[in-house]
Amino acid sequence: MKTNVAEAFSGETESVRSEEELRALEEAYCSHGDTVHYTANPKFFEECEGSFVYDRTGTPFLDLQMWYSAVNFGYRNERLNEAAHRQLDRLPQVASQYLHREKVELAALIAQDAERKFGYKGRVHFNVGGSQAVEDSLKLVRNYTGGKSLMFAFEGGYHGRTLGASAITSSYRYRRRYGHFGDRAQFVEFPYHFRGPKGMSKEEYGHHCVQKFARLFESEYNGVWDPKAGKSEFAAFYIEPIQGTGGYVIPPMNFFVELKKVLDDHGILLVVDEIQMGVYRTGKLWSIEHFGVSPDALVFGKAITNGLNPLSGVWAREEMINPTIFPPGSTHSTFASNPMGTAVALETMKMLEEEDFGASVMAKGAHFLDGLKQLEKRHAIVGEVDGLGLALRMEICKDDSYTPDKATMDWMCDEGMKGDMQVGGKTYGLVLDVGGYHKNVITFAPNLLISYEEIDLALALLDQLLTRAARR
């Protein structure tokens, strides 16, 4: 067997390299700067279908994170794949200074939907990745507010890893090696009730967090507000309605209504990041719809193309994005509104209009959450479960059901990837994702088309995994 890197390229081009050979090539030539190397020996997968990915042996791995909620409608979704094939055969590329039907129709669908829901006319600007769309939104906000560069964001919030997006992402580890971030956001407490002050209801804690934020505007000496001029130094508050990388933390329903009033009273914009929770992950097109407030701008991506040709974008109110204030050339990406991405996204939006995804996601989510609550009762290492739609969470803790246990969480992820669990006489693996402030939370983002039988399979596999974890 070849192990030398140079030798691995020799021989018949049609031969299939072993995983050992591929790992040698990867070690020598691939950057380790992405997230693949969070584990020592990342898994190779060969095929996918629906809720499953398959390794070379054909073992099915039930995927409960679906590419961080990018593949909301299942792997190899027939309808969306056909849309990609049609576009590939008709107009796969066109220079960005020209128009194509798919871009215009998609922008109109998104903007008209937002106008009905939020009460504002707006426009859509496209890009290719979530971080890039966040960057575009930062330009919109800075431009509209006369160059203000300071933002509020949440502790536990994640908005991407480009330089601008890192500045409003709470994790210092994404900024540490890249010099001083003078425009770093001021991070505000998020109502993470499970780890909040004891003795408060979820709603009381949400109100408490808003009042702590509102205190900043009581005096000029709190550093954010000039009461004589009636102006804040901060331009916008960037939020994830439900925290993604932060561990799918779901706030109380009163929280954003109260927060938005503070923002409106002080002329601060609300920018909603829907990159992970958008496109029916929570049973609505945008997760902010659950919370009774209207954003000034909304950023989206990931599942709008079901993880196919990348597409992201930002919707903003007309006052922020009309051509007189945001003229041609204000921002640009060569592939921003690419025909492949916009065609698949347009088909996604049409599919969402034709089927009642809201009802099915909420019903499946309730079934899944009920099963997780049963697991919580049986396993002491489960500290809390919660969910909204098919955005679900499970905290892995010590036997006291509270102290975070990252080591066991990491072990469970690796154990699930062994592909040796038995249910109904069949062998399965389990794909999990880690999140949370202490990296001890399983964040569940299953296929929105997952069957009830597959949900029950997921619960059975989780039961086995939790039992193994408690005995290790």
Side-chain angles (χ1 to χ4, degrees):
M1 182 175 292
K2 298 169 184 173
T3 56
N4 179 275
V5 170
E7 290 177 354
F9 280 105
S10 64
E12 298 294 327
T13 56
E14 65 270 16
S15 65
V16 178
R17 293 189 176 97
S18 70
E19 287 194 2
E20 183 182 2
E21 291 171 324
L22 290 171
R23 288 191 190 281
L25 292 171
E26 197 270 346
E27 179 66 25
Y29 296 114
C30 290
S31 163
H32 289 197
D34 54 26
T35 61
V36 170
H37 289 275
Y38 280 177
T39 57
N41 290 296
K43 186 79 175 176
F44 278 96
F45 286 112
E46 292 287 326
E47 296 183 24
C48 59
E49 182 78 29
S51 296
F52 295 90
V53 286
Y54 299 84
D55 64 10
R56 280 188 172 181
T57 71
T59 300
F61 287 72
L62 179 59
D63 193 340
L64 296 182
Q65 58 101 9
M66 299 304 289
W67 201 1
Y68 317 115
S69 194
V71 192
N72 280 10
F73 307 102
Y75 290 113
R76 293 171 62 187
N77 180 288
E78 184 176 358
R79 177 170 178 173
L80 300 180
N81 280 16
E82 285 179 358
H85 284 293
R86 287 196 304 271
Q87 194 67 27
L88 183 65
D89 291 337
R90 188 176 65 82
L91 183 70
Q93 304 120 324
V94 68
S96 53
Q97 67 261 44
Y98 307 115
L99 285 170
H100 55 281
R101 174 182 62 82
E102 294 78 13
K103 170 190 174 178
V104 176
E105 292 186 353
L106 177 62
L109 269 179
I110 293 171
Q112 289 166 2
D113 178 81
E115 187 170 358
R116 287 192 299 272
K117 291 171 178 174
F118 304 139
Y120 301 123
K121 183 190 182 301
R123 298 172 187 253
V124 176
H125 184 92
F126 292 112
N127 212 312
V128 290
S131 294
Q132 290 83 356
V134 168
E135 296 283 346
D136 287 341
S137 74
L138 286 165
K139 277 192 169 183
L140 281 163
V141 166
R142 287 185 176 208
N143 182 58
Y144 181 68
T145 60
K148 289 183 182 179
S149 61
L150 295 181
M151 312 293 160
F152 290 111
F154 281 122
E155 295 173 1
Y158 179 88
H159 302 286
R161 301 190 203 187
T162 54
L163 286 174
S166 293
I168 58 173
T169 291
S170 62
S171 300
Y172 171 53
R173 69 187 181 95
Y174 300 140
R175 295 186 298 275
R176 181 178 59 82
R177 297 185 304 278
Y178 307 113
H180 178 61
F181 282 68
D183 296 327
R184 196 205 78 155
Q186 179 163 331
F187 298 105
V188 174
E189 183 177 358
F190 192 83
Y192 180 6
H193 184 250
F194 180 62
R195 300 204 175 276
K198 301 307 174 187
M200 287 186 181
S201 69
K202 198 169 185 178
E203 290 71 25
E204 287 170 339
Y205 184 34
H207 178 72
H208 171 73
C209 289
V210 172
Q211 291 306 301
K212 284 178 67 176
F213 176 63
R215 177 187 169 276
L216 296 176
F217 302 92
E218 291 177 355
S219 166
E220 66 181 274
Y221 297 104
N222 292 330
V224 303
W225 178 246
D226 180 351
K228 292 183 178 179
K231 293 184 181 297
S232 174
E233 191 176 10
F234 287 73
F237 202 135
Y238 274 74
I239 71 166
E240 295 168 282
I242 296 171
Q243 295 200 320
T245 301
Y248 284 25
V249 180
I250 300 168
M253 290 297 170
N254 62 317
F255 178 65
F256 285 117
V257 171
E258 294 185 23
L259 180 69
K260 183 67 160 58
K261 184 178 187 310
V262 178
L263 299 180
D264 289 346
D265 287 347
H266 298 94
I268 298 169
L269 301 171
L270 178 67
V271 182
V272 174
D273 183 336
E274 293 279 359
I275 293 163
Q276 187 161 166
M277 290 297 157
V279 198
Y280 278 90
R281 172 54 53 199
T282 67
K284 294 184 181 292
L285 181 62
W286 311 123
S287 64
I288 193 64
E289 295 175 48
H290 291 282
F291 298 100
V293 298
S294 296
D296 297 292
L298 183 148
V299 181
F300 60 89
K302 285 189 186 293
I304 195 77
T305 64
N306 201 43
L308 295 172
N309 218 71
L311 188 78
S312 65
V314 54
W315 169 90
R317 291 193 290 111
E318 179 76 3
E319 301 95 303
M320 296 174 64
I321 200 173
N322 75 73
T324 63
I325 191 169
F326 204 67
S330 295
T331 190
H332 175 69
S333 171
T334 301
F335 304 102
S337 54
N338 64 87
M340 293 292 292
T342 52
V344 176
L346 184 61
E347 192 68 24
T348 299
M349 293 293 289
K350 289 178 179 178
M351 181 178 71
L352 294 172
E353 288 182 337
E354 295 168 7
E355 302 178 36
D356 193 352
F357 274 92
S360 66
V361 167
M362 296 306 287
K364 290 175 182 178
H367 180 75
F368 205 147
L369 182 58
D370 181 67
L372 294 177
K373 288 178 178 178
Q374 297 305 313
L375 293 179
E376 180 184 13
K377 292 177 182 177
R378 294 202 299 272
H379 297 278
I381 65 171
V382 177
E384 186 206 39
V385 299
D386 199 2
L388 182 61
L390 281 168
L392 303 148
R393 71 190 308 270
M394 174 184 281
E395 289 229 9
I396 303 302
C397 301
K398 301 289 188 181
D399 287 342
D400 63 3
S401 302
Y402 184 77
T403 304
D405 192 348
K406 178 182 182 300
T408 296
M409 178 72 258
D410 290 342
W411 182 90
M412 288 177 62
C413 286
D414 291 341
E415 189 74 5
M417 297 304 286
K418 287 182 177 179
D420 66 350
M421 289 186 284
Q422 297 283 321
V423 175
K426 296 182 180 179
T427 302
Y428 296 94
L430 190 61
V431 180
L432 301 175
D433 191 32
V434 180
Y437 291 33
H438 306 283
K439 300 303 176 190
N440 70 311
V441 178
I442 304 173
T443 52
F444 298 104
N447 173 13
L448 300 186
L449 299 174
I450 192 171
S451 68
Y452 284 92
E453 292 77 16
E454 288 169 343
I455 293 173
D456 291 340
L457 172 63
L459 294 167
L461 293 170
L462 285 164
D463 195 15
Q464 287 188 35
L465 201 54
L466 289 164
T467 299
R468 290 186 187 186
R471 291 174 179 171
R472 74 185 183 99

